[in-house]
Amino acid sequence: MLAYAPAALLFLVFCVSVLRERRRFSNAVILGLAALCALGALLYRLVSSESPSVPYVVGALVALGAVALLVLVCFLFLNGVRMLRKEGRSPAHLLSLLASFAVLGVVALLVVAAVVRTPVLIGVAWAAGGLALYFSFLFLCFVCYAFLYGRLQVRRKADFVVVLGSGLIGGATVPPLLASRLKRGREVHERLSRRGGSPVLITSGGQGPDEKLPESHAMADHLVAEGFPADLIEREDRSRNTEENLRFSKEIMEAAKPGYRCVVVTNNYHAFRAALIARRVRIRGQVVGSPTAAYFWPNAMLREFVAILVDHRQSNAAMCVIIALGGVAAWWAS
C-alpha cells in the first residue's frame, strides 16, 4: 500500500485546497497529479506481481489507448466540421478541427522518428511528444475539475444573481446561448427567494460596436417579457468582456451592500474560467453554468482552455522551454 501514499497525500492536499478556495486552477493540477500517481502505483503493483497475465493486460491497455486515440481524433474532426457548418468559419470555431490535425501530426512524427531514427527527428519527436503530453495532461485536469466545479454546491443564501452577457443577434435580439443563461439565472433567483432571500438580478453586458443597445438592456427586456419583475433587475451596461462584467458588477454590489454574497451565472463550459476571473477580481461568490448545445461544448472547452493557458503564460512558457531543452538533449545524445 506504500505505493499509493503519494496519491493519497496529493488527494488530501486537493481536498484541503478545495475547502479553502475552490476557484483555483492549481486544484485541477493537484487532482490530476493524484490520479497520475494512483495509476502509476497500480501499474507498478501489476508489473511487480510477476503474474503470467501481465503481458496480456499491458497489451490490452496499449490497444485500448490506441483505439481511444483514434476515436478522439475522429470525434474532434467530426465536431470541427459540424462547428463550421453550424457556426461559420470563424477562427474560434476551428479549434476542434485543428486539435485533430495536431494529434495526427504528433503521432505521425513519432512513428517517422521511430522508423528513420535520425538525431534531428528524434530530438523533434521528443520535444513534440513532451509538449503533447504536457498540454493533454493539463486539458484533462481542466475538463475533470471543471466538471466537478459545476457540481459543487453554492451557498444557500445570496444577495445578488449576476448573469453574464454573451452578444446579441442582429444587434438587439437575445440568442439561445444567452437565453439559457437568463433561464438559469431566473431559476437560481427563484431558489434563493424560496429560501427566504430577496436577491437582485444583475444583467451584465455593455454595447458592442455592432449592437443597437447594451446587452444588459436586451437581457433585462427578455426577462421582463418572460414575466420576471422589472424592479428586481439591475443593469450593468459598461463591460466589454468577462473580467469587466465581474468588475463593474462588483462595484454595483458593493455600493448596495458592502458585505454581499452573489451567484454568477454563465454557460457550463465557461463557468470554471469565469470562477478563476471572479477570484482574481475578488468577487464574493461562486459561479454556476447553464446547459450548452452538445455540438458546441467541445470547441468551447478548447477555447476556454487556451484562454487559461494564456492567463498562466509565464509558467507554461517555462515548461515549454524545459521540454524543448529535453528534445535538444535527446538529439545530442543520439
Side-chain angles (χ1 to χ4, degrees):
M1 297 300 292
L2 190 61
Y4 292 98
L9 180 60
L10 283 168
F11 186 71
L12 178 62
V13 172
F14 166 76
C15 292
V16 172
S17 182
V18 169
L19 288 174
R20 292 183 63 185
E21 175 57 86
R22 64 181 71 173
R23 302 172 300 175
R24 289 176 175 162
F25 188 69
S26 59
N27 293 342
V29 176
I30 294 170
L31 180 62
L33 289 173
L36 201 61
C37 288
L39 179 61
L42 181 64
L43 291 175
Y44 171 76
R45 288 179 61 84
L46 178 66
V47 172
S48 62
S49 67
E50 298 182 356
S51 170
S53 63
V54 169
Y56 299 103
V57 174
V58 173
L61 290 175
V62 172
L64 183 63
V67 171
L69 190 64
L70 179 61
V71 170
L72 175 64
V73 170
C74 292
F75 172 76
L76 289 172
F77 179 80
L78 294 175
N79 179 255
V81 172
R82 190 175 184 187
M83 278 294 297
L84 291 178
R85 289 176 177 173
K86 285 184 170 287
E87 302 293 333
R89 298 183 179 182
S90 165
H93 300 153
L94 293 172
L95 291 177
S96 296
L97 205 58
L98 293 175
S100 67
F101 292 146
V103 173
L104 280 177
V106 171
V107 172
L109 179 60
L110 292 174
V111 171
V112 171
V115 173
V116 178
R117 300 193 64 81
T118 62
V120 174
L121 270 178
I122 290 174
V124 173
W126 267 92
L131 289 172
L133 288 174
Y134 173 69
F135 288 117
S136 297
F137 171 74
L138 289 182
F139 182 69
L140 285 174
C141 292
F142 164 65
V143 171
C144 292
Y145 187 71
F147 176 82
L148 290 176
Y149 180 86
R151 279 147 187 81
L152 294 174
Q153 293 293 320
V154 299
R155 290 181 178 270
R156 297 183 63 84
K157 292 184 178 181
D159 306 295
F160 297 91
V161 177
V162 182
V163 183
L164 305 184
S166 66
L168 303 174
I169 294 177
T173 305
V174 170
L177 192 75
L178 184 52
S180 73
R181 296 185 185 186
L182 292 168
K183 181 180 178 182
R184 182 67 193 277
R186 184 174 178 177
E187 291 171 353
V188 171
H189 187 279
E190 290 173 353
R191 186 170 68 247
L192 293 170
S193 298
R194 286 196 299 268
R195 292 172 179 169
S198 182
V200 173
L201 192 149
I202 299 177
T203 54
S204 180
Q207 184 172 353
D210 58 343
E211 293 175 336
K212 300 175 183 177
L213 74 166
E215 293 172 20
S216 59
H217 292 218
M219 294 161 68
D221 293 343
H222 179 88
L223 285 170
V224 172
E226 294 287 323
F228 192 86
D231 59 322
L232 293 179
I233 301 175
E234 183 78 31
R235 297 168 175 83
E236 180 287 297
D237 55 10
R238 296 183 293 155
S239 55
R240 296 167 296 177
N241 52 49
T242 300
E243 183 163 342
E244 290 186 355
N245 285 147
L246 295 170
R247 287 189 184 278
F248 296 149
S249 296
K250 178 187 175 185
E251 291 179 6
I252 294 172
M253 293 185 287
E254 286 185 335
K257 186 173 182 179
Y260 74 91
R261 302 295 306 185
C262 72
V263 178
V264 179
V265 181
T266 183
N267 286 92
N268 53 11
Y269 67 83
H270 185 236
F272 182 42
R273 188 167 75 88
L276 298 180
I277 298 172
R279 175 176 178 263
R280 189 165 69 234
V281 302
R282 301 181 184 275
I283 289 281
R284 297 189 190 95
Q286 301 296 333
V287 183
V288 299
S290 64
T292 305
Y295 79 89
F296 193 86
W297 188 87
N299 193 85
M301 287 297 287
L302 285 169
R303 188 174 69 235
E304 295 297 303
F305 176 63
V306 171
I308 288 177
L309 290 180
V310 172
D311 288 341
H312 297 81
R313 51 187 171 273
Q314 293 182 341
S315 56
N316 286 311
M319 284 299 302
C320 289
V321 169
I322 292 171
I323 293 170
L325 290 175
V328 173
W331 165 73
W332 185 267
S334 59

